[in-house]
Amino acid sequence: MAGLALACAMFATSSQAEIIKPVKDSKADLAGVMFKRADAVNETKGGNSTTDVVTFTSRDSAFQTGMFKSGPSHEEVKGPGGFPYNEFLYFISGGARLTSADGSVMVVTAGEAVTIPKGWIGMFDTKGYTKLYTTYDPDAAKK
């Protein structure tokens, strides 16, 4: 009888706890199906069309993943704060040219990845791309 009571107590506890599951991006998602989701955010600014799909945001809002595509664009990231968070980008298609404040240039193309540290200042130029991204902003967790 004690075993049954213990099993019932364990079931009651586990059934009330939130179940956390991994988040998967399928091959179809990565091929572009993800951009057709109802929660995809489409924007056009200065003639550049973008689509963003957030796939995960941590409870503290400091960590986020998603998929993003952009048409041709030029973006200047200026001080004093520079780039607003740490971001890891993996390019599925296209690429970008990143010119840092000191004039150094890095070109990243499909199949390559880059990490942009929080505070980076420079120019981000692209003819268009699709990327997977991960952002981390420890300051967001403090809010």
Side-chain angles (χ1 to χ4, degrees), residues 87-92 98 106-116 132:
E87 182 173 7
F88 172 81
L89 303 80
Y90 176 79
F91 288 86
I92 295 172
L98 293 93
M106 176 181 294
V107 176
V108 186
T109 60
E112 295 182 318
V114 64
T115 300
I116 301 176
L132 292 171

Side-chain angles (χ1 to χ4, degrees), residues 2-117:
L4 179 58
L6 178 60
C8 288
M10 287 175 47
F11 178 74
T13 302
S14 66
S15 68
Q16 293 172 359
E18 178 184 357
I19 297 174
I20 299 173
K21 296 181 180 181
V23 178
K24 179 181 177 179
D25 299 331
S26 70
K27 289 180 182 179
D29 287 334
L30 299 179
V33 171
M34 183 177 297
F35 295 120
K36 296 177 183 173
R37 288 175 29 171
D39 62 340
V41 176
N42 297 296
E43 292 185 346
T44 301
K45 291 181 184 175
N48 178 34
S49 296
T50 63
T51 305
D52 187 14
V53 179
V54 174
T55 55
F56 175 80
T57 301
S58 63
R59 286 184 184 176
D60 64 5
S61 298
F63 180 80
Q64 189 173 79
T65 62
M67 194 165 162
F68 184 87
K69 71 177 175 177
S70 173
S73 69
H74 168 80
E75 181 180 354
E76 289 188 54
V77 180
K78 299 178 182 181
F83 202 70
Y85 40 75
N86 298 297
E87 182 173 7
F88 172 81
L89 303 80
Y90 176 79
F91 288 86
I92 295 172
S93 67
R97 175 185 174 104
L98 293 93
T99 305
S100 294
D102 67 357
S104 61
V105 175
M106 176 181 294
V107 176
V108 186
T109 60
E112 295 182 318
V114 64
T115 300
I116 301 176

Side-chain angles (χ1 to χ4, degrees), residues 60-63 84-86 118 135-143:
D60 64 5
S61 298
F63 180 80
Y85 40 75
N86 298 297
K118 182 175 183 173
T135 63
Y136 179 69
D137 181 8
D139 293 335
K142 297 174 187 172
K143 294 177 185 174

